[in-house]
Amino acid sequence: MQLRMLMTEIQKEIRALGDLLSVTQNIVLTAHKDPDGDALGSALALWHWLRKRGHTVDIALPSPYPDGFHWLPGLDKTLVSDYDMEEIVQKLKFASVVIYLDFNAMDRIERLSEAFSQTDAQSVMIDHHRDPEPIADIMISDVAASSTCELVFEVMTSLYGDVDLDRNIATCLYTGIITDTGSFKYNIRPQLFIHVSKLLSTGIDSNAIQDLIFNNLDIKFLRLLGLCLTERFILMPEVQTGIFYLTKQDYKEFDIKRGDTEGIINYLLKVKNIKVAAFFRQQPGIIKISLRSKGSISVQQIARELFNGGGHLNASGGYLHGSLRKAITRFQKELPNYLSKYKELKV
Ligand code: 5GP
Ligand code: MN
């Protein structure tokens, strides 16, 4: 019953977006800082689709995208606040609609937050993270969706069917679905595969896209992984938790850039007795934290309460100011309290 109500609510919001899009609009899309495959894929898919439907559309990102995604169609047309702030402010001045993708709290777009909040444009959020804040006039929020890309697919097809689907749109949506589900390992539900079959029907090459996403690493990744496995690894067997960390010196020595550490945390969860994984990185200005878990164990509350962050049940993140050592010690001290309620952990 509750799910049915939820679906109706989402459908209502999608219809409200449909009403907005029934006239030609000036649209600015944005996605979260340090955009991943889902953030970029959802923004670019909408960019292609909305343009096809006659709207004027720009994408404004709050931070640069990882080089590894350079092959995504349209990515080179995006505006990035670090380089294009004036143009972004100008575009927002004339925007009639803004769309927030793959985030649900304004601090996730950092320096763009103020610029977006000041527009008179109608705002729309499309997202699948937990605990959304009321940041938009139209809130298309579904925590059961695997990815924002899956939701964007639902928005497109429930408004206009699949007539507009083409290879560019399908490539972008497939990328977000593949990255957020870890190639259909997490957050999957039956309807996702029906959607994916429609994406594949456009003729996109799944093997080629997966190769571009997963088998396209710089050799630096293996070196970093080696460092984490051998020298930056803390095991907490009493709470079945593994921790990796990287120091400021590591960042300098390995010339670590955006996206270079993506995926390293997943290696901790490959160990059968590890149920919770944490990855602390001493980035310029902040300690960035990623958290992952298996099964019903939630890391979202920990991210929210200890690290100013949030995310999903099994994948969350946040940040702290201060020293790396303090951040790790805090996590080690507080973690058992959070895990004590999970019987499968025997904490
Ligand atoms: P990752 O560990 O890959 O950076 O992020 C995992 C998940 O946690 C993503 O869904 C991401 O949106 C969320 N997340 C990561 N960092 C933050 C943060 O600083 N704040 C919030 N609210 N969510 C975050
Ligand atoms: Mn996502």
Side-chain angles (χ1 to χ4, degrees):
M1 181 58 188
Q2 205 183 3
L3 187 67
R4 182 177 289 253
M5 277 169 59
L6 207 62
M7 293 305 291
T8 324
E9 199 53 45
I10 294 169
Q11 285 303 330
K12 223 165 65 193
E13 297 295 285
I14 293 177
R15 269 202 297 274
L17 172 59
D19 289 344
L20 271 187
L21 299 180
S22 64
V23 294
T24 305
Q25 302 279 10
N26 264 321
I27 303 173
V28 181
L29 310 173
T30 190
H32 63 76
K33 183 183 180 277
D34 295 333
D36 54 11
D38 193 32
L40 296 173
S42 56
L44 286 165
L46 268 182
W47 183 76
H48 286 289
W49 183 71
L50 292 167
R51 279 161 46 100
K52 235 173 150 169
R53 301 203 64 81
H55 304 283
T56 303
V57 198
D58 288 282
I59 299 176
L61 296 175
S63 70
Y65 47 82
D67 290 341
F69 283 117
H70 67 88
W71 47 272
L72 276 173
L75 193 61
D76 56 329
K77 306 289 193 309
T78 56
L79 302 169
V80 178
S81 70
D82 302 40
Y83 322 117
D84 310 306
M85 199 58 196
E86 264 175 46
E87 202 176 340
I88 291 172
V89 169
Q90 203 58 23
K91 297 280 183 195
L92 282 172
K93 216 180 266 173
F94 295 104
S96 50
V97 175
V98 294
I99 306 183
Y100 304 145
L101 294 155
D102 204 32
F103 70 93
N104 64 13
M106 290 310 275
D107 65 351
R108 297 286 286 142
I109 55 170
E110 290 201 338
R111 56 189 296 209
L112 283 187
S113 159
E114 205 182 315
F116 271 88
S117 304
Q118 281 170 357
T119 67
D120 297 326
Q122 290 286 306
S123 55
V124 181
M125 182 195 84
I126 307 177
D127 180 62
H128 67 132
H129 291 88
R130 294 182 151 207
D131 300 331
E133 289 178 12
I135 59 173
D137 302 315
I138 297 173
M139 303 262 294
I140 302 171
S141 164
D142 184 0
V143 296
S146 65
S147 51
T148 299
C149 280
E150 182 186 349
L151 260 180
V152 165
F153 178 91
E154 286 181 356
V155 168
M156 289 174 179
T157 51
S158 61
L159 287 178
Y160 303 108
D162 45 22
V163 287
D164 295 316
L165 272 188
D166 60 26
R167 281 189 199 202
N168 282 339
I169 293 171
T171 298
C172 296
L173 293 179
Y174 194 62
T175 297
I177 291 169
I178 286 292
T179 51
D180 263 28
T181 63
S183 293
F184 305 109
K185 284 200 289 290
Y186 331 110
N187 311 320
I188 52 173
R189 53 181 174 175
Q191 72 209 59
L192 173 68
F193 292 87
I194 297 170
H195 299 337
V196 165
S197 82
K198 298 225 172 86
L199 296 179
L200 294 177
S201 301
T202 63
I204 57 168
D205 183 340
S206 171
N207 286 348
I209 294 173
Q210 301 230 26
D211 250 1
L212 285 166
I213 296 172
F214 297 114
N215 301 333
N216 208 7
L217 291 170
D218 200 287
I219 194 74
K220 194 189 333 180
F221 180 87
L222 292 185
R223 300 214 166 95
L224 272 177
L225 177 62
L227 177 73
C228 287
L229 292 173
T230 53
E231 294 174 48
R232 302 285 183 266
F233 182 15
I234 302 169
L235 187 59
M236 298 175 68
E238 70 287 3
V239 278
Q240 291 177 253
T241 296
I243 301 172
F244 284 154
Y245 61 93
L246 288 169
T247 66
K248 194 160 65 180
Q249 289 74 20
D250 297 333
Y251 268 77
K252 214 182 280 164
E253 196 174 317
F254 284 78
D255 188 28
I256 300 173
K257 300 228 167 65
R258 222 172 286 278
D260 285 347
T261 54
E262 195 72 40
I264 286 185
I265 190 172
N266 298 328
Y267 284 81
L268 287 168
L269 290 184
K270 289 182 186 288
V271 180
K272 65 179 169 201
N273 286 327
I274 291 187
K275 300 273 174 64
V276 177
F279 191 12
F280 292 76
R281 281 103 69 205
Q282 193 173 26
Q283 296 177 348
I286 57 161
I287 312 295
K288 185 72 200 160
I289 298 125
S290 290
L291 299 172
R292 300 288 186 273
S293 59
K294 283 178 187 161
S296 64
I297 300 165
S298 171
V299 282
Q300 193 249 358
Q301 195 189 0
I302 306 176
R304 192 158 37 97
E305 292 177 4
L306 294 186
F307 302 130
N308 310 298
H312 312 279
L313 183 89
N314 295 131
S316 287
Y319 64 91
L320 274 185
H321 296 289
S323 83
L324 178 64
R325 180 171 299 276
K326 258 199 204 143
I328 297 175
T329 308
R330 176 161 197 216
F331 177 69
Q332 289 178 300
K333 192 165 151 266
E334 301 285 343
L335 185 65
N337 299 331
Y338 285 95
L339 299 185
S340 57
K341 62 176 175 237
Y342 297 107
K343 292 199 178 57
E344 68 256 51
L345 275 177
K346 302 187 211 82
V347 176

